[in-house]
Amino acid sequence: MPQATATAPAPAPSARPRRGGSEFSPLLRQVREQGLLDHRPGWYALDIGLTLLGLGTVAAVLLLAGPTWWSLLLAVPLAVLSARAAFLAHDAGHAQITADRGAGRAIQLLHANLLLGMSREWWNDKHNRHHAHPNHLDKDPDVAADVLVFAEHQTAGRTGLRGFLTRHQALLFFPLTTLEALALKLYGVQAVLAKDGPYRTRRERLTEGALLLLHFTGYAALLLTALTPAQALAFALVHQMLLGLHLGMAFAPNHKGMERPDQHEDGDSWGHLRRQVLTSRNIRGGALTDWFLGGLNYQVEHHLFPSMPRPHLRLAQPAVRAHCRALGIPYTETGFTDSYRQALGHLHEVGAGLREERAGRPE
């Protein structure tokens, strides 16, 4: 099984800081000079076109097949194509697709709200806070205590169902990810209806709400036109669970078990380079891995350069790795399977205290 590798021995994360200037600036300059921050409209146009064509083809076959249980097999390619739409929505939110804010917004609304039923602005607000402070328990919403917890002190007071989930969160992780797509829809609807949602204008809220309503109406109409009510419900469950699992597999190994700035006295003063590199984990692989994980397997490069187009992340990796080596900053990269072993191992360790407490409790 491949093991994690780093470009240097793992010193204390804040060791050897470069006080004379930004550690990130030379790398940024090199990447910019190589043209890796330039947009790739042709590449994205092809990706968007193929995704829309695939979604349309699945819908057409579903309608032509009629009310048969065999149609449930189409939930598999539909889940994969829905994940492609999610990756495009993610890239549009980071301005990877185009520098035109209006066009980027329209692309993200199409893929997030209309195709997935997920609120664009809710996602951007949450995801941008994650990028600003990755793996910081007090500032990163992705590691806030919720269904899962990511630090031992977050387990305090968790009893009943929450306690059960925490004790067994490593074993339950992948089953729980099957609910991720449904959760994204629910949170988006809640944000649209909430008075304190992230929307800056009433028009923005109404636009997103209308597109979400159109998604749910169109999705239900397609399934109920093609299938019986029982088949439609089964299809929707399989589709959404597979989509959640796919998205969970793409996001799960990126930060779990990596450095947490809140654990270090000087964590809040880390510069951009250390804050992003020390908290992120890359996954080795070829073109299939890049495709399946939507480029998020280059988590270090993506966090350093959020607006870098997806096809350039692999090209930027050698420069990033060499720069980290020169500064003595650990650059973590591991194999596909081992990335999940590390992430799940961390979740298992976090729940150990509750398991021990449960084991020692008198009957």
Side-chain angles (χ1 to χ4, degrees):
M1 180 179 295
Q3 299 297 313
T5 59
T7 59
S14 57
R16 297 198 294 271
R18 185 175 176 179
R19 302 299 183 187
S22 168
E23 296 175 314
F24 179 61
S25 295
L27 178 61
L28 175 61
R29 184 166 52 251
Q30 179 181 359
V31 166
R32 183 177 286 132
E33 289 173 353
Q34 292 175 347
L36 298 180
L37 295 179
D38 296 345
H39 290 94
R40 293 283 300 276
W43 189 94
Y44 275 107
L46 178 61
D47 196 12
I48 291 171
L50 291 175
T51 299
L52 294 178
L53 177 62
L55 290 169
T57 300
V58 171
V61 174
L62 188 63
L63 290 169
L64 290 173
T68 170
W69 287 100
W70 287 106
S71 291
L72 265 65
L73 295 175
L74 292 171
V76 177
L78 186 59
V80 172
L81 289 163
S82 297
R84 308 313 303 166
F87 295 143
L88 286 165
H90 168 270
D91 291 4
H94 280 297
Q96 293 179 24
I97 298 177
T98 174
D100 187 320
R101 296 182 63 180
R105 180 174 181 270
I107 293 170
Q108 194 177 24
L109 284 171
L110 168 65
H111 291 87
N113 292 64
L114 187 59
L115 296 180
L116 296 176
M118 180 186 78
S119 166
R120 164 192 178 270
E121 197 58 41
W122 167 81
W123 167 258
N124 285 350
D125 175 71
K126 175 177 178 289
H127 196 59
N128 287 340
R129 286 185 283 132
H130 158 69
H131 267 262
H133 301 282
N135 250 24
H136 194 301
L137 290 186
D138 301 323
K139 300 178 181 181
D140 181 356
D142 284 0
V143 291
D146 195 0
V147 177
L148 301 176
V149 295
F150 305 94
E152 290 183 7
H153 73 268
Q154 291 179 324
T155 67
R158 293 179 77 94
T159 59
L161 177 60
R162 287 159 64 88
F164 173 83
L165 292 174
T166 300
R167 290 195 301 273
H168 306 288
Q169 60 181 5
L171 290 173
L172 295 173
F173 177 78
F174 284 113
L176 287 171
T177 60
T178 63
L179 303 176
E180 179 66 18
L182 295 173
L184 292 175
K185 291 175 170 58
L186 176 61
Y187 292 142
V189 171
Q190 288 177 337
V192 167
L193 298 178
K195 293 181 180 180
D196 58 347
Y199 310 97
R200 289 164 292 191
T201 65
R202 183 171 181 269
R203 179 179 180 181
E204 190 176 70
R205 183 190 299 270
L206 290 175
T207 298
E208 292 222 17
L211 288 172
L212 290 178
L213 181 61
L214 188 57
H215 165 82
F216 294 124
T217 302
Y219 186 66
L222 171 65
L223 296 187
L224 291 174
T225 299
L227 305 169
T228 67
Q231 291 168 348
L233 177 60
F235 186 99
L237 287 175
V238 173
H239 171 217
Q240 298 302 323
M241 291 174 70
L242 290 176
L243 172 58
L245 180 61
H246 190 162
L247 295 178
M249 292 183 71
F251 290 111
N254 299 337
H255 302 282
K256 293 174 178 60
M258 295 301 295
E259 287 288 351
R260 284 181 17 226
D262 56 278
Q263 288 183 306
H264 302 271
E265 291 185 2
D266 64 344
D268 286 336
S269 65
W270 288 357
H272 179 69
L273 184 76
R274 292 176 185 265
R275 185 166 57 249
Q276 305 300 341
V277 174
L278 293 170
T279 60
S280 301
R281 177 192 292 113
N282 275 14
I283 301 175
R284 285 192 295 269
L288 180 60
T289 301
D290 294 357
W291 178 85
F292 183 75
L293 298 180
L296 297 178
N297 46 311
Y298 302 105
Q299 194 67 195
V300 174
E301 287 72 25
H302 171 57
H303 264 255
L304 286 172
F305 309 100
S307 64
M308 180 177 287
R310 195 192 313 168
H312 288 172
L313 295 171
R314 173 183 284 272
L315 302 178
Q317 189 179 38
V320 174
R321 187 189 286 116
H323 189 67
C324 289
R325 182 186 301 114
L327 293 174
I329 299 176
Y331 177 101
T332 303
E333 185 178 35
T334 186
F336 187 86
T337 301
D338 197 48
S339 68
Y340 296 107
R341 183 192 64 78
Q342 294 180 31
L344 296 179
H346 174 69
L347 294 177
H348 184 73
E349 290 177 6
V350 169
L354 280 188
R355 292 194 302 275
E356 292 171 1
E357 179 183 324
R358 178 80 171 183
R361 185 179 301 163
E363 294 296 333

